[in-house]
Amino acid sequence: MEKIKFLPIISLGLLIINMIKVAFVFLRKPMPTFRHEVIRDVIIHRLKLDEARIKVYDSLIRSRQSDINNKEKQLLILKNNLFEMFKSDGNYVKKDSIINGIGIKQKAIENIRFNHFEKLELLCIPDQITDFETFMSDVASMFNPKNLSVWSLK
């Protein structure tokens, strides 16, 4: 008799736990994701760019994206070459040079990003420099997924 009462209680408990898990998955607040257009709009808003500067800024964005895409393609080729070495019977002679090449490409990508913001600063008129400096003091936060407030329209 004890086993007959115990089994439904355990089954009901497991069912409730599973329902709570499913509810948690579907009801939790998703992590915000940001597309390039949202970031663009935030920068335009925070720096108060006029239409002429927006057009120049859009061309800067296209140039930067093209440059980064090219470097990322080169980076993927290098990474592919690195992991293809496992097929070569332990011959890892080129490993260090490939890893060095990966580092060089990554450095180039970071330089492209940094230069993009330098060009954005040059785009600002004197009245916008304070806004630019305030914004740039916030930019470091964008790389921390726990602190995405820099990308809100303040």
Side-chain angles (χ1 to χ4, degrees):
M1 191 75 169
E2 289 289 323
K3 290 182 181 178
I4 295 173
K5 289 182 181 178
F6 185 68
L7 188 60
I9 292 171
I10 293 296
S11 297
L12 182 63
L14 290 173
L15 179 66
I16 291 170
I17 290 170
N18 283 333
M19 291 172 80
I20 291 170
K21 286 180 185 178
V22 169
F24 177 75
V25 168
F26 288 110
L27 298 178
R28 70 185 172 120
K29 189 175 181 180
M31 182 81 166
T33 57
F34 294 100
R35 296 177 35 212
H36 292 288
E37 296 84 21
V38 173
I39 295 170
R40 171 196 172 271
D41 293 343
V42 168
I43 289 172
I44 289 169
H45 175 77
R46 295 268 313 259
L47 300 182
K48 302 171 187 85
L49 298 178
D50 59 26
E51 287 301 316
R53 285 184 168 68
I54 290 172
K55 288 181 182 178
V56 175
Y57 180 56
D58 285 339
S59 71
L60 287 174
I61 290 172
R62 284 189 299 277
S63 174
R64 185 210 51 183
Q65 287 174 336
S66 174
D67 292 346
I68 287 178
N69 287 341
N70 289 334
K71 293 295 180 196
E72 285 179 341
K73 286 177 187 174
Q74 295 170 11
L75 194 58
L76 287 174
I77 291 168
L78 286 170
K79 287 181 179 183
N80 182 56
N81 291 341
L82 180 66
F83 290 101
E84 285 288 323
M85 283 195 297
F86 285 102
K87 294 180 182 178
S88 66
D89 299 326
N91 185 5
Y92 304 144
V93 174
K94 295 182 180 179
K95 180 188 88 159
D96 289 335
S97 64
I98 292 174
I99 291 173
N100 188 42
I102 290 170
I104 290 169
K105 297 299 178 198
Q106 192 61 51
K107 181 180 177 182
I109 290 171
E110 297 308 321
N111 274 319
I112 291 167
R113 290 181 176 135
F114 187 85
N115 293 339
H116 173 75
F117 284 105
E118 281 185 320
K119 291 173 185 174
L120 179 60
E121 181 181 24
L122 294 174
L123 188 62
C124 293
I125 58 174
D127 293 347
Q128 295 167 323
I129 295 298
T130 303
D131 293 331
F132 178 81
E133 290 170 352
T134 302
F135 178 72
M136 291 310 296
S137 69
D138 294 341
V139 164
S141 298
M142 87 176 195
F143 299 106
N144 181 352
K146 294 179 181 177
N147 185 12
L148 296 172
S149 62
V150 67
W151 298 116
S152 64
L153 293 173
K154 291 181 182 177

